Amino acid sequence: MNTQAQGRGRGQGNDRRGRDNDRNRDQYLERVVTINRVAKVVQGGRRFSFTALVVVGDGEGTVGVGYGKAKEVPAAIAKGVEEAKKNFFKVPMVQRSIPHPVQGEKAAGVVMLRPASPGTGVIAGGACRAVLECAGIQDVLAKSLGSPNAINVVHATVAALKMLEEPEQIAKRRGKSVADVTPAALLRARQEVEVKA
């Protein structure tokens, strides 16, 4: 009788742990951008494994990119997710758009991002779209100007997002007021957000 009770208690503990893991997993948006099969040539022939490029974000301005490699696809995706969570960074946003135009470059990838008015949506290609949606950006215009390779496009998009600055930072660096360095439309948008809050 006592043994059964202990067994039952142990099972419940495992279920609780499983629910906590599910809650943490649901907290983040995960997008698998691309999966490649790669081969390593050894003496006995070829050994195949898989690589996965994964984007993880909370939809509230935090996003990260990870690259995982394993013998099986699910294991590669899991490794990519873990690496992405280690590489999280914050993206400054104004009314679910970006504060100013920016162009990011990484290897042969070049991505241009421009702010868009509310209701525009995410105008971007597949690889770039995954990063922007996971970051929580809802209105933006994006154009890939360089290599169409998904890995280069994702890293160029990340480089562009990391270059974004809040108007206060720009004003402080240039020794001017926030009103002098911020477009009127952006100021109105920020005031509307503050009024709603």
Side-chain angles (χ1 to χ4, degrees), residues 8 13 35 46 65 67 92 96 101 109 114 119 121 123 171 176 178 180:
R8 233 181 286 127
I35 294 173
R46 288 194 188 120
V65 175
Y67 193 67
R96 292 290 179 176
R114 288 194 169 190
I123 311 297
K176 296 190 173 186
V178 176
D180 289 339

Side-chain angles (χ1 to χ4, degrees), residues 16-180:
R16 198 176 300 118
R17 230 173 282 128
R19 281 199 298 274
D20 288 343
N21 287 342
D22 288 343
R23 201 176 299 121
N24 288 341
R25 206 175 292 126
D26 294 341
Q27 186 182 353
Y28 295 112
L29 301 167
E30 295 175 9
R31 296 272 191 281
V32 179
V33 179
T34 184
I35 294 173
N36 286 330
R37 189 180 77 165
V38 294
K40 180 183 180 183
V41 179
V42 294
Q43 196 171 2
R46 288 194 188 120
R47 281 202 192 133
F48 293 104
S49 56
F50 296 90
T51 63
L53 181 65
V54 186
V55 181
V56 180
D58 64 355
E60 295 296 327
T62 302
V63 69
V65 175
Y67 193 67
K69 183 178 177 182
K71 295 275 193 293
E72 302 293 331
V73 173
I77 292 172
K79 283 184 181 179
V81 169
E82 286 305 309
E83 190 185 322
K85 287 179 179 176
K86 289 176 188 171
N87 296 327
F88 273 157
F89 65 95
K90 288 292 287 179
V91 178
M93 290 193 294
V94 176
Q95 274 200 331
R96 292 290 179 176
S97 187
I98 57 176
H100 57 85
V102 70
Q103 184 169 304
E105 297 182 21
K106 184 74 175 182
V110 181
V111 171
M112 179 182 66
L113 302 177
R114 288 194 169 190
S117 55
T120 304
V122 178
I123 311 297
C128 185
R129 174 182 289 271
V131 180
L132 297 171
E133 285 180 348
C134 286
I137 297 170
Q138 293 175 357
D139 301 300
V140 67
L141 305 171
K143 178 71 180 164
S144 175
L145 305 171
S147 163
N149 179 294
I151 296 170
N152 286 344
V153 171
V154 165
H155 285 300
T157 306
V158 167
L161 292 176
K162 284 182 176 177
M163 289 165 65
L164 291 172
E165 290 182 290
E166 293 281 6
E168 287 84 0
Q169 290 175 293
I170 298 167
K172 187 177 178 183
R173 193 175 65 238
R174 292 174 61 187
K176 296 190 173 186
S177 69
V178 176
D180 289 339

